Amino acid sequence: KQEVTQIPAALSVPEGENLVLNCSFTDSAIYNLQWFRQDPGKGLTSLLLIQSSQREQTSGRLNASLDKSSGRSTLYIAASQPGDSATYLCAVRPKGGSEKLVFGKGTKLTVNP
Amino acid sequence: GAVVSQHPSRVICKSGTSVKIECRSLDFQATTMFWYRQFPKQSLMLMATSNEGSKATYEQGVEKDKFLINHASLTLSTLTVTSAHPEDSSFYICSARLQPIVRLFFGPGTRLTVL
């Protein structure tokens, strides 16, 4: 059974700092891995999607890496801003017929002005 | 990007009543939509996969007679929580896939509170 773990559960940093969020998964048989952002009481916004054959994806100040063999992904946020404050979720799509995503519990990020 | 909407955004109901939640893909057609549930400080958990024109596929442990799913058109799926109880209080989120790309788009969620 695929399990996704995110560390840390919460993170508080001063504005401008570069930071890394971690995600690990137990089964390397995945189609892809996706990072989402969730604001309080809101739905999910997809940030980056990495296919299993890829090593990383970049969008603006965000960079996500994938090491499938070790079951790890990181989300790097450069020059953090207060507007980056949110919960960041990692999800994998296991190989198989289903399009089901398996989510981690998320990392709650607070960027202080 | 593609837009998925949900209605209502928030609902409070009495125990024993039924609640219907709508999920719409606004600018694309989705043959498959997904319903997730999120309890406080917990992961999103897939409840069921909604297939247009056919029966939904439910995840293990999810009662299909309690959580009725109807995917009557390519842009609308509904989730009805029947005889709701306080333990059904949760955040329900739907998602849809814009084919042929693999990325899923999520709705804003519906907060259900059962008194």
PDB file of all heavy atoms in Angstrom, chain A residues 32 34 36 38 41-44 46 48-49 51 89 99-101 103-105, chain B residues 34 36 38 41-44 46 59 91 93 97 102-104 106-109 111:
ATOM      1  N   ASN A  32       3.409   9.532 -11.717  1.00  0.00           N
ATOM      2  CA  ASN A  32       3.873  10.898 -11.546  1.00  0.00           C
ATOM      3  C   ASN A  32       3.724  11.333 -10.096  1.00  0.00           C
ATOM      4  O   ASN A  32       3.120  10.631  -9.269  1.00  0.00           O
ATOM      5  CB  ASN A  32       3.114  11.865 -12.473  1.00  0.00           C
ATOM      6  CG  ASN A  32       1.606  11.814 -12.267  1.00  0.00           C
ATOM      7  OD1 ASN A  32       1.113  11.979 -11.167  1.00  0.00           O
ATOM      8  ND2 ASN A  32       0.874  11.619 -13.349  1.00  0.00           N
ATOM      9  N   GLN A  34       2.920  15.019  -7.834  1.00  0.00           N
ATOM     10  CA  GLN A  34       2.409  16.377  -8.003  1.00  0.00           C
ATOM     11  C   GLN A  34       2.495  17.125  -6.685  1.00  0.00           C
ATOM     12  O   GLN A  34       2.249  16.548  -5.613  1.00  0.00           O
ATOM     13  CB  GLN A  34       0.942  16.291  -8.479  1.00  0.00           C
ATOM     14  CG  GLN A  34       0.458  17.466  -9.263  1.00  0.00           C
ATOM     15  CD  GLN A  34      -0.813  17.135 -10.051  1.00  0.00           C
ATOM     16  OE1 GLN A  34      -1.183  15.986 -10.206  1.00  0.00           O
ATOM     17  NE2 GLN A  34      -1.480  18.153 -10.573  1.00  0.00           N
ATOM     18  N   PHE A  36       0.911  20.395  -4.664  1.00  0.00           N
ATOM     19  CA  PHE A  36      -0.237  21.289  -4.635  1.00  0.00           C
ATOM     20  C   PHE A  36      -0.069  22.314  -3.521  1.00  0.00           C
ATOM     21  O   PHE A  36       0.623  22.085  -2.544  1.00  0.00           O
ATOM     22  CB  PHE A  36      -1.531  20.510  -4.345  1.00  0.00           C
ATOM     23  CG  PHE A  36      -1.943  19.528  -5.384  1.00  0.00           C
ATOM     24  CD1 PHE A  36      -1.466  18.229  -5.352  1.00  0.00           C
ATOM     25  CD2 PHE A  36      -2.806  19.903  -6.397  1.00  0.00           C
ATOM     26  CE1 PHE A  36      -1.856  17.302  -6.305  1.00  0.00           C
ATOM     27  CE2 PHE A  36      -3.216  18.987  -7.364  1.00  0.00           C
ATOM     28  CZ  PHE A  36      -2.739  17.683  -7.310  1.00  0.00           C
ATOM     29  N   GLN A  38      -2.606  24.501  -0.889  1.00  0.00           N
ATOM     30  CA  GLN A  38      -3.965  24.626  -0.368  1.00  0.00           C
ATOM     31  C   GLN A  38      -4.006  25.777   0.628  1.00  0.00           C
ATOM     32  O   GLN A  38      -3.307  25.743   1.646  1.00  0.00           O
ATOM     33  CB  GLN A  38      -4.429  23.329   0.295  1.00  0.00           C
ATOM     34  CG  GLN A  38      -5.877  23.377   0.756  1.00  0.00           C
ATOM     35  CD  GLN A  38      -6.358  22.064   1.338  1.00  0.00           C
ATOM     36  OE1 GLN A  38      -5.587  21.289   1.902  1.00  0.00           O
ATOM     37  NE2 GLN A  38      -7.650  21.781   1.202  1.00  0.00           N
ATOM     38  N   GLY A  41      -9.243  26.448   4.124  1.00  0.00           N
ATOM     39  CA  GLY A  41     -10.633  26.305   3.723  1.00  0.00           C
ATOM     40  C   GLY A  41     -10.872  26.341   2.232  1.00  0.00           C
ATOM     41  O   GLY A  41     -12.011  26.509   1.785  1.00  0.00           O
ATOM     42  N   LYS A  42      -9.814  26.173   1.473  1.00  0.00           N
ATOM     43  CA  LYS A  42      -9.934  26.262   0.019  1.00  0.00           C
ATOM     44  C   LYS A  42      -9.564  24.947  -0.649  1.00  0.00           C
ATOM     45  O   LYS A  42      -9.071  24.016  -0.016  1.00  0.00           O
ATOM     46  CB  LYS A  42      -9.020  27.372  -0.517  1.00  0.00           C
ATOM     47  CG  LYS A  42      -9.273  28.735   0.094  1.00  0.00           C
ATOM     48  CD  LYS A  42     -10.603  29.313  -0.335  1.00  0.00           C
ATOM     49  CE  LYS A  42     -10.789  30.724   0.195  1.00  0.00           C
ATOM     50  NZ  LYS A  42     -12.094  31.302  -0.203  1.00  0.00           N
ATOM     51  N   GLY A  43      -9.776  24.909  -1.954  1.00  0.00           N
ATOM     52  CA  GLY A  43      -9.379  23.737  -2.712  1.00  0.00           C
ATOM     53  C   GLY A  43      -7.893  23.735  -2.994  1.00  0.00           C
ATOM     54  O   GLY A  43      -7.126  24.498  -2.413  1.00  0.00           O
ATOM     55  N   LEU A  44      -7.510  22.881  -3.927  1.00  0.00           N
ATOM     56  CA  LEU A  44      -6.094  22.705  -4.247  1.00  0.00           C
ATOM     57  C   LEU A  44      -5.722  23.390  -5.551  1.00  0.00           C
ATOM     58  O   LEU A  44      -6.485  23.366  -6.512  1.00  0.00           O
ATOM     59  CB  LEU A  44      -5.777  21.220  -4.383  1.00  0.00           C
ATOM     60  CG  LEU A  44      -5.520  20.432  -3.111  1.00  0.00           C
ATOM     61  CD1 LEU A  44      -6.739  20.366  -2.235  1.00  0.00           C
ATOM     62  CD2 LEU A  44      -5.036  19.027  -3.460  1.00  0.00           C
ATOM     63  N   SER A  46      -2.732  23.174  -8.322  1.00  0.00           N
ATOM     64  CA  SER A  46      -1.586  22.388  -8.752  1.00  0.00           C
ATOM     65  C   SER A  46      -0.404  23.315  -9.034  1.00  0.00           C
ATOM     66  O   SER A  46      -0.540  24.314  -9.728  1.00  0.00           O
ATOM     67  CB  SER A  46      -1.927  21.596 -10.018  1.00  0.00           C
ATOM     68  OG  SER A  46      -0.801  20.887 -10.484  1.00  0.00           O
ATOM     69  N   LEU A  48       3.215  21.939  -9.485  1.00  0.00           N
ATOM     70  CA  LEU A  48       4.151  21.272 -10.380  1.00  0.00           C
ATOM     71  C   LEU A  48       3.799  19.795 -10.467  1.00  0.00           C
ATOM     72  O   LEU A  48       3.371  19.199  -9.480  1.00  0.00           O
ATOM     73  CB  LEU A  48       5.598  21.405  -9.865  1.00  0.00           C
ATOM     74  CG  LEU A  48       6.216  22.800  -9.906  1.00  0.00           C
ATOM     75  CD1 LEU A  48       7.469  22.857  -9.038  1.00  0.00           C
ATOM     76  CD2 LEU A  48       6.566  23.184 -11.337  1.00  0.00           C
ATOM     77  N   LEU A  49       3.977  19.232 -11.647  1.00  0.00           N
ATOM     78  CA  LEU A  49       3.763  17.803 -11.860  1.00  0.00           C
ATOM     79  C   LEU A  49       5.030  17.236 -12.482  1.00  0.00           C
ATOM     80  O   LEU A  49       5.538  17.784 -13.474  1.00  0.00           O
ATOM     81  CB  LEU A  49       2.563  17.557 -12.772  1.00  0.00           C
ATOM     82  CG  LEU A  49       2.160  16.105 -13.030  1.00  0.00           C
ATOM     83  CD1 LEU A  49       0.663  16.010 -13.266  1.00  0.00           C
ATOM     84  CD2 LEU A  49       2.915  15.507 -14.202  1.00  0.00           C
ATOM     85  N   GLN A  51       6.628  13.838 -14.102  1.00  0.00           N
ATOM     86  CA  GLN A  51       6.402  12.477 -14.592  1.00  0.00           C
ATOM     87  C   GLN A  51       7.488  11.565 -14.015  1.00  0.00           C
ATOM     88  O   GLN A  51       8.576  12.019 -13.667  1.00  0.00           O
ATOM     89  CB  GLN A  51       6.449  12.443 -16.112  1.00  0.00           C
ATOM     90  CG  GLN A  51       5.416  13.318 -16.793  1.00  0.00           C
ATOM     91  CD  GLN A  51       4.006  12.779 -16.690  1.00  0.00           C
ATOM     92  OE1 GLN A  51       3.752  11.764 -16.041  1.00  0.00           O
ATOM     93  NE2 GLN A  51       3.065  13.454 -17.319  1.00  0.00           N
ATOM     94  N   LEU A  89       0.897  20.312  -0.362  1.00  0.00           N
ATOM     95  CA  LEU A  89       0.600  18.881  -0.382  1.00  0.00           C
ATOM     96  C   LEU A  89       1.361  18.197  -1.505  1.00  0.00           C
ATOM     97  O   LEU A  89       1.475  18.730  -2.608  1.00  0.00           O
ATOM     98  CB  LEU A  89      -0.901  18.654  -0.596  1.00  0.00           C
ATOM     99  CG  LEU A  89      -1.841  19.213   0.468  1.00  0.00           C
ATOM    100  CD1 LEU A  89      -3.286  19.111  -0.001  1.00  0.00           C
ATOM    101  CD2 LEU A  89      -1.677  18.467   1.771  1.00  0.00           C
ATOM    102  N   GLU A  99      -6.700   6.196 -11.599  1.00  0.00           N
ATOM    103  CA  GLU A  99      -6.104   7.528 -11.615  1.00  0.00           C
ATOM    104  C   GLU A  99      -6.051   8.118 -10.214  1.00  0.00           C
ATOM    105  O   GLU A  99      -5.824   9.308 -10.041  1.00  0.00           O
ATOM    106  CB  GLU A  99      -6.908   8.441 -12.526  1.00  0.00           C
ATOM    107  CG  GLU A  99      -6.850   8.022 -13.981  1.00  0.00           C
ATOM    108  CD  GLU A  99      -7.470   9.054 -14.890  1.00  0.00           C
ATOM    109  OE1 GLU A  99      -7.005  10.208 -14.902  1.00  0.00           O
ATOM    110  OE2 GLU A  99      -8.435   8.717 -15.577  1.00  0.00           O
ATOM    111  N   LYS A 100      -6.216   7.285  -9.226  1.00  0.00           N
ATOM    112  CA  LYS A 100      -6.211   7.715  -7.841  1.00  0.00           C
ATOM    113  C   LYS A 100      -4.906   8.395  -7.456  1.00  0.00           C
ATOM    114  O   LYS A 100      -3.828   7.960  -7.849  1.00  0.00           O
ATOM    115  CB  LYS A 100      -6.407   6.473  -6.974  1.00  0.00           C
ATOM    116  CG  LYS A 100      -6.209   6.643  -5.486  1.00  0.00           C
ATOM    117  CD  LYS A 100      -6.390   5.300  -4.803  1.00  0.00           C
ATOM    118  CE  LYS A 100      -6.193   5.399  -3.311  1.00  0.00           C
ATOM    119  NZ  LYS A 100      -6.471   4.105  -2.650  1.00  0.00           N
ATOM    120  N   LEU A 101      -5.010   9.485  -6.700  1.00  0.00           N
ATOM    121  CA  LEU A 101      -3.837  10.135  -6.125  1.00  0.00           C
ATOM    122  C   LEU A 101      -3.764   9.776  -4.640  1.00  0.00           C
ATOM    123  O   LEU A 101      -4.773   9.735  -3.951  1.00  0.00           O
ATOM    124  CB  LEU A 101      -3.931  11.654  -6.270  1.00  0.00           C
ATOM    125  CG  LEU A 101      -3.891  12.237  -7.680  1.00  0.00           C
ATOM    126  CD1 LEU A 101      -3.896  13.761  -7.624  1.00  0.00           C
ATOM    127  CD2 LEU A 101      -2.655  11.749  -8.426  1.00  0.00           C
ATOM    128  N   PHE A 103      -2.225  11.159  -1.222  1.00  0.00           N
ATOM    129  CA  PHE A 103      -1.717  12.421  -0.693  1.00  0.00           C
ATOM    130  C   PHE A 103      -0.970  12.237   0.617  1.00  0.00           C
ATOM    131  O   PHE A 103      -1.275  11.347   1.423  1.00  0.00           O
ATOM    132  CB  PHE A 103      -2.880  13.377  -0.428  1.00  0.00           C
ATOM    133  CG  PHE A 103      -3.456  14.025  -1.645  1.00  0.00           C
ATOM    134  CD1 PHE A 103      -4.409  13.374  -2.412  1.00  0.00           C
ATOM    135  CD2 PHE A 103      -3.062  15.311  -2.025  1.00  0.00           C
ATOM    136  CE1 PHE A 103      -4.952  13.968  -3.540  1.00  0.00           C
ATOM    137  CE2 PHE A 103      -3.604  15.917  -3.148  1.00  0.00           C
ATOM    138  CZ  PHE A 103      -4.549  15.242  -3.903  1.00  0.00           C
ATOM    139  N   GLY A 104      -0.021  13.144   0.854  1.00  0.00           N
ATOM    140  CA  GLY A 104       0.552  13.295   2.175  1.00  0.00           C
ATOM    141  C   GLY A 104      -0.327  14.241   2.992  1.00  0.00           C
ATOM    142  O   GLY A 104      -1.300  14.791   2.472  1.00  0.00           O
ATOM    143  N   LYS A 105       0.027  14.417   4.264  1.00  0.00           N
ATOM    144  CA  LYS A 105      -0.777  15.281   5.130  1.00  0.00           C
ATOM    145  C   LYS A 105      -0.453  16.753   4.935  1.00  0.00           C
ATOM    146  O   LYS A 105      -1.164  17.619   5.426  1.00  0.00           O
ATOM    147  CB  LYS A 105      -0.573  14.897   6.594  1.00  0.00           C
ATOM    148  CG  LYS A 105      -1.161  13.552   6.965  1.00  0.00           C
ATOM    149  CD  LYS A 105      -0.998  13.285   8.452  1.00  0.00           C
ATOM    150  CE  LYS A 105      -1.605  11.943   8.810  1.00  0.00           C
ATOM    151  NZ  LYS A 105      -1.475  11.658  10.265  1.00  0.00           N
TER     152      LYS A 105
ATOM    153  N   PHE B  34     -13.406  12.857  -9.697  1.00  0.00           N
ATOM    154  CA  PHE B  34     -12.993  12.164  -8.480  1.00  0.00           C
ATOM    155  C   PHE B  34     -13.499  12.938  -7.259  1.00  0.00           C
ATOM    156  O   PHE B  34     -13.439  14.162  -7.224  1.00  0.00           O
ATOM    157  CB  PHE B  34     -11.471  12.052  -8.406  1.00  0.00           C
ATOM    158  CG  PHE B  34     -10.863  11.409  -9.621  1.00  0.00           C
ATOM    159  CD1 PHE B  34     -10.499  12.182 -10.715  1.00  0.00           C
ATOM    160  CD2 PHE B  34     -10.669  10.048  -9.682  1.00  0.00           C
ATOM    161  CE1 PHE B  34      -9.954  11.597 -11.850  1.00  0.00           C
ATOM    162  CE2 PHE B  34     -10.118   9.454 -10.810  1.00  0.00           C
ATOM    163  CZ  PHE B  34      -9.766  10.227 -11.894  1.00  0.00           C
ATOM    164  N   TYR B  36     -12.975  13.468  -3.213  1.00  0.00           N
ATOM    165  CA  TYR B  36     -12.079  13.277  -2.087  1.00  0.00           C
ATOM    166  C   TYR B  36     -12.729  13.842  -0.829  1.00  0.00           C
ATOM    167  O   TYR B  36     -13.577  14.736  -0.886  1.00  0.00           O
ATOM    168  CB  TYR B  36     -10.742  14.007  -2.318  1.00  0.00           C
ATOM    169  CG  TYR B  36      -9.826  13.363  -3.338  1.00  0.00           C
ATOM    170  CD1 TYR B  36     -10.015  13.576  -4.703  1.00  0.00           C
ATOM    171  CD2 TYR B  36      -8.768  12.558  -2.937  1.00  0.00           C
ATOM    172  CE1 TYR B  36      -9.167  12.997  -5.632  1.00  0.00           C
ATOM    173  CE2 TYR B  36      -7.915  11.978  -3.864  1.00  0.00           C
ATOM    174  CZ  TYR B  36      -8.128  12.206  -5.206  1.00  0.00           C
ATOM    175  OH  TYR B  36      -7.280  11.631  -6.131  1.00  0.00           O
ATOM    176  N   GLN B  38     -11.529  15.265   3.146  1.00  0.00           N
ATOM    177  CA  GLN B  38     -10.387  15.678   3.956  1.00  0.00           C
ATOM    178  C   GLN B  38     -10.868  16.029   5.358  1.00  0.00           C
ATOM    179  O   GLN B  38     -11.606  17.007   5.544  1.00  0.00           O
ATOM    180  CB  GLN B  38      -9.684  16.885   3.327  1.00  0.00           C
ATOM    181  CG  GLN B  38      -8.421  17.314   4.048  1.00  0.00           C
ATOM    182  CD  GLN B  38      -7.779  18.523   3.401  1.00  0.00           C
ATOM    183  OE1 GLN B  38      -8.458  19.395   2.867  1.00  0.00           O
ATOM    184  NE2 GLN B  38      -6.451  18.591   3.441  1.00  0.00           N
ATOM    185  N   LYS B  41      -6.543  18.227   9.527  1.00  0.00           N
ATOM    186  CA  LYS B  41      -5.149  17.822   9.716  1.00  0.00           C
ATOM    187  C   LYS B  41      -4.859  16.428   9.173  1.00  0.00           C
ATOM    188  O   LYS B  41      -3.911  15.777   9.594  1.00  0.00           O
ATOM    189  CB  LYS B  41      -4.753  17.926  11.188  1.00  0.00           C
ATOM    190  CG  LYS B  41      -4.832  19.351  11.724  1.00  0.00           C
ATOM    191  CD  LYS B  41      -4.311  19.455  13.145  1.00  0.00           C
ATOM    192  CE  LYS B  41      -4.404  20.894  13.630  1.00  0.00           C
ATOM    193  NZ  LYS B  41      -3.906  21.034  15.032  1.00  0.00           N
ATOM    194  N   GLN B  42      -5.679  15.989   8.260  1.00  0.00           N
ATOM    195  CA  GLN B  42      -5.471  14.673   7.640  1.00  0.00           C
ATOM    196  C   GLN B  42      -5.266  14.828   6.136  1.00  0.00           C
ATOM    197  O   GLN B  42      -5.530  15.893   5.570  1.00  0.00           O
ATOM    198  CB  GLN B  42      -6.670  13.756   7.908  1.00  0.00           C
ATOM    199  CG  GLN B  42      -6.899  13.449   9.370  1.00  0.00           C
ATOM    200  CD  GLN B  42      -5.733  12.724   9.994  1.00  0.00           C
ATOM    201  OE1 GLN B  42      -5.206  11.759   9.440  1.00  0.00           O
ATOM    202  NE2 GLN B  42      -5.322  13.181  11.166  1.00  0.00           N
ATOM    203  N   SER B  43      -4.823  13.754   5.518  1.00  0.00           N
ATOM    204  CA  SER B  43      -4.642  13.761   4.070  1.00  0.00           C
ATOM    205  C   SER B  43      -5.977  13.750   3.357  1.00  0.00           C
ATOM    206  O   SER B  43      -6.991  13.327   3.915  1.00  0.00           O
ATOM    207  CB  SER B  43      -3.874  12.512   3.625  1.00  0.00           C
ATOM    208  OG  SER B  43      -2.694  12.336   4.350  1.00  0.00           O
ATOM    209  N   LEU B  44      -5.972  14.190   2.128  1.00  0.00           N
ATOM    210  CA  LEU B  44      -7.140  13.971   1.278  1.00  0.00           C
ATOM    211  C   LEU B  44      -7.210  12.474   0.990  1.00  0.00           C
ATOM    212  O   LEU B  44      -6.203  11.848   0.662  1.00  0.00           O
ATOM    213  CB  LEU B  44      -7.005  14.706  -0.057  1.00  0.00           C
ATOM    214  CG  LEU B  44      -7.452  16.151  -0.099  1.00  0.00           C
ATOM    215  CD1 LEU B  44      -6.388  17.036   0.488  1.00  0.00           C
ATOM    216  CD2 LEU B  44      -7.742  16.564  -1.531  1.00  0.00           C
ATOM    217  N   LEU B  46      -9.262   9.602  -1.312  1.00  0.00           N
ATOM    218  CA  LEU B  46     -10.194   9.368  -2.407  1.00  0.00           C
ATOM    219  C   LEU B  46     -11.371   8.550  -1.911  1.00  0.00           C
ATOM    220  O   LEU B  46     -11.189   7.507  -1.270  1.00  0.00           O
ATOM    221  CB  LEU B  46      -9.492   8.642  -3.557  1.00  0.00           C
ATOM    222  CG  LEU B  46     -10.357   8.342  -4.778  1.00  0.00           C
ATOM    223  CD1 LEU B  46     -10.773   9.639  -5.478  1.00  0.00           C
ATOM    224  CD2 LEU B  46      -9.612   7.433  -5.758  1.00  0.00           C
ATOM    225  N   GLU B  59     -13.980   3.499  -3.270  1.00  0.00           N
ATOM    226  CA  GLU B  59     -12.803   2.983  -2.581  1.00  0.00           C
ATOM    227  C   GLU B  59     -13.236   2.092  -1.414  1.00  0.00           C
ATOM    228  O   GLU B  59     -14.371   2.197  -0.915  1.00  0.00           O
ATOM    229  CB  GLU B  59     -11.944   4.135  -2.065  1.00  0.00           C
ATOM    230  CG  GLU B  59     -11.328   4.968  -3.168  1.00  0.00           C
ATOM    231  CD  GLU B  59     -10.381   4.195  -4.058  1.00  0.00           C
ATOM    232  OE1 GLU B  59      -9.381   3.639  -3.520  1.00  0.00           O
ATOM    233  OE2 GLU B  59     -10.629   4.133  -5.278  1.00  0.00           O
ATOM    234  N   PHE B  91     -14.497  18.122   4.770  1.00  0.00           N
ATOM    235  CA  PHE B  91     -14.284  18.956   3.595  1.00  0.00           C
ATOM    236  C   PHE B  91     -14.277  18.032   2.393  1.00  0.00           C
ATOM    237  O   PHE B  91     -13.460  17.112   2.319  1.00  0.00           O
ATOM    238  CB  PHE B  91     -12.942  19.695   3.754  1.00  0.00           C
ATOM    239  CG  PHE B  91     -12.732  20.847   2.811  1.00  0.00           C
ATOM    240  CD1 PHE B  91     -13.647  21.879   2.744  1.00  0.00           C
ATOM    241  CD2 PHE B  91     -11.599  20.911   2.018  1.00  0.00           C
ATOM    242  CE1 PHE B  91     -13.442  22.963   1.901  1.00  0.00           C
ATOM    243  CE2 PHE B  91     -11.391  21.990   1.167  1.00  0.00           C
ATOM    244  CZ  PHE B  91     -12.313  23.010   1.108  1.00  0.00           C
ATOM    245  N   ILE B  93     -13.899  17.530  -1.625  1.00  0.00           N
ATOM    246  CA  ILE B  93     -13.295  18.170  -2.792  1.00  0.00           C
ATOM    247  C   ILE B  93     -13.419  17.262  -4.009  1.00  0.00           C
ATOM    248  O   ILE B  93     -13.169  16.056  -3.912  1.00  0.00           O
ATOM    249  CB  ILE B  93     -11.800  18.465  -2.559  1.00  0.00           C
ATOM    250  CG1 ILE B  93     -11.592  19.290  -1.293  1.00  0.00           C
ATOM    251  CG2 ILE B  93     -11.189  19.193  -3.738  1.00  0.00           C
ATOM    252  CD1 ILE B  93     -10.135  19.551  -0.984  1.00  0.00           C
ATOM    253  N   ARG B  97     -10.205  15.549 -14.686  1.00  0.00           N
ATOM    254  CA  ARG B  97      -9.021  15.523 -15.532  1.00  0.00           C
ATOM    255  C   ARG B  97      -9.352  16.082 -16.901  1.00  0.00           C
ATOM    256  O   ARG B  97     -10.345  15.699 -17.515  1.00  0.00           O
ATOM    257  CB  ARG B  97      -8.492  14.094 -15.671  1.00  0.00           C
ATOM    258  CG  ARG B  97      -7.157  14.017 -16.408  1.00  0.00           C
ATOM    259  CD  ARG B  97      -6.499  12.675 -16.183  1.00  0.00           C
ATOM    260  NE  ARG B  97      -7.113  11.625 -16.962  1.00  0.00           N
ATOM    261  CZ  ARG B  97      -6.692  11.228 -18.160  1.00  0.00           C
ATOM    262  NH1 ARG B  97      -5.672  11.827 -18.724  1.00  0.00           N
ATOM    263  NH2 ARG B  97      -7.294  10.249 -18.780  1.00  0.00           N
ATOM    264  N   VAL B 102      -2.415  14.949 -18.164  1.00  0.00           N
ATOM    265  CA  VAL B 102      -2.554  14.108 -16.974  1.00  0.00           C
ATOM    266  C   VAL B 102      -2.874  14.895 -15.716  1.00  0.00           C
ATOM    267  O   VAL B 102      -3.220  14.338 -14.705  1.00  0.00           O
ATOM    268  CB  VAL B 102      -1.288  13.261 -16.741  1.00  0.00           C
ATOM    269  CG1 VAL B 102      -1.059  12.318 -17.897  1.00  0.00           C
ATOM    270  CG2 VAL B 102      -0.077  14.146 -16.540  1.00  0.00           C
ATOM    271  N   ARG B 103      -2.738  16.197 -15.792  1.00  0.00           N
ATOM    272  CA  ARG B 103      -2.933  16.970 -14.572  1.00  0.00           C
ATOM    273  C   ARG B 103      -4.395  17.008 -14.175  1.00  0.00           C
ATOM    274  O   ARG B 103      -5.282  17.154 -15.010  1.00  0.00           O
ATOM    275  CB  ARG B 103      -2.413  18.398 -14.787  1.00  0.00           C
ATOM    276  CG  ARG B 103      -2.441  19.248 -13.559  1.00  0.00           C
ATOM    277  CD  ARG B 103      -1.696  20.533 -13.783  1.00  0.00           C
ATOM    278  NE  ARG B 103      -0.281  20.300 -14.058  1.00  0.00           N
ATOM    279  CZ  ARG B 103       0.658  21.216 -13.957  1.00  0.00           C
ATOM    280  NH1 ARG B 103       0.337  22.433 -13.581  1.00  0.00           N
ATOM    281  NH2 ARG B 103       1.899  20.936 -14.240  1.00  0.00           N
ATOM    282  N   LEU B 104      -4.633  16.880 -12.881  1.00  0.00           N
ATOM    283  CA  LEU B 104      -5.978  16.976 -12.341  1.00  0.00           C
ATOM    284  C   LEU B 104      -6.236  18.390 -11.864  1.00  0.00           C
ATOM    285  O   LEU B 104      -5.356  19.040 -11.301  1.00  0.00           O
ATOM    286  CB  LEU B 104      -6.157  16.014 -11.163  1.00  0.00           C
ATOM    287  CG  LEU B 104      -6.242  14.524 -11.484  1.00  0.00           C
ATOM    288  CD1 LEU B 104      -6.335  13.725 -10.190  1.00  0.00           C
ATOM    289  CD2 LEU B 104      -7.433  14.218 -12.378  1.00  0.00           C
ATOM    290  N   PHE B 106      -8.697  20.690  -9.386  1.00  0.00           N
ATOM    291  CA  PHE B 106      -9.528  20.513  -8.208  1.00  0.00           C
ATOM    292  C   PHE B 106     -10.505  21.656  -8.038  1.00  0.00           C
ATOM    293  O   PHE B 106     -10.211  22.807  -8.365  1.00  0.00           O
ATOM    294  CB  PHE B 106      -8.651  20.408  -6.960  1.00  0.00           C
ATOM    295  CG  PHE B 106      -7.996  19.051  -6.806  1.00  0.00           C
ATOM    296  CD1 PHE B 106      -6.880  18.725  -7.561  1.00  0.00           C
ATOM    297  CD2 PHE B 106      -8.506  18.111  -5.933  1.00  0.00           C
ATOM    298  CE1 PHE B 106      -6.277  17.480  -7.444  1.00  0.00           C
ATOM    299  CE2 PHE B 106      -7.908  16.864  -5.807  1.00  0.00           C
ATOM    300  CZ  PHE B 106      -6.797  16.550  -6.561  1.00  0.00           C
ATOM    301  N   GLY B 107     -11.674  21.310  -7.499  1.00  0.00           N
ATOM    302  CA  GLY B 107     -12.637  22.321  -7.135  1.00  0.00           C
ATOM    303  C   GLY B 107     -12.240  22.989  -5.833  1.00  0.00           C
ATOM    304  O   GLY B 107     -11.300  22.554  -5.158  1.00  0.00           O
ATOM    305  N   PRO B 108     -12.956  24.037  -5.439  1.00  0.00           N
ATOM    306  CA  PRO B 108     -12.626  24.787  -4.221  1.00  0.00           C
ATOM    307  C   PRO B 108     -13.055  24.095  -2.947  1.00  0.00           C
ATOM    308  O   PRO B 108     -12.716  24.545  -1.856  1.00  0.00           O
ATOM    309  CB  PRO B 108     -13.370  26.108  -4.418  1.00  0.00           C
ATOM    310  CG  PRO B 108     -14.527  25.737  -5.279  1.00  0.00           C
ATOM    311  CD  PRO B 108     -14.051  24.659  -6.198  1.00  0.00           C
ATOM    312  N   GLY B 109     -13.818  23.009  -3.061  1.00  0.00           N
ATOM    313  CA  GLY B 109     -14.210  22.263  -1.873  1.00  0.00           C
ATOM    314  C   GLY B 109     -15.545  22.701  -1.299  1.00  0.00           C
ATOM    315  O   GLY B 109     -16.019  23.817  -1.531  1.00  0.00           O
ATOM    316  N   ARG B 111     -17.468  22.588   2.502  1.00  0.00           N
ATOM    317  CA  ARG B 111     -17.363  22.285   3.927  1.00  0.00           C
ATOM    318  C   ARG B 111     -18.725  21.845   4.428  1.00  0.00           C
ATOM    319  O   ARG B 111     -19.673  22.614   4.410  1.00  0.00           O
ATOM    320  CB  ARG B 111     -16.905  23.535   4.694  1.00  0.00           C
ATOM    321  CG  ARG B 111     -16.956  23.406   6.209  1.00  0.00           C
ATOM    322  CD  ARG B 111     -15.858  22.539   6.739  1.00  0.00           C
ATOM    323  NE  ARG B 111     -14.542  23.058   6.431  1.00  0.00           N
ATOM    324  CZ  ARG B 111     -13.412  22.373   6.598  1.00  0.00           C
ATOM    325  NH1 ARG B 111     -13.452  21.139   7.065  1.00  0.00           N
ATOM    326  NH2 ARG B 111     -12.266  22.905   6.280  1.00  0.00           N
TER     327      ARG B 111
END
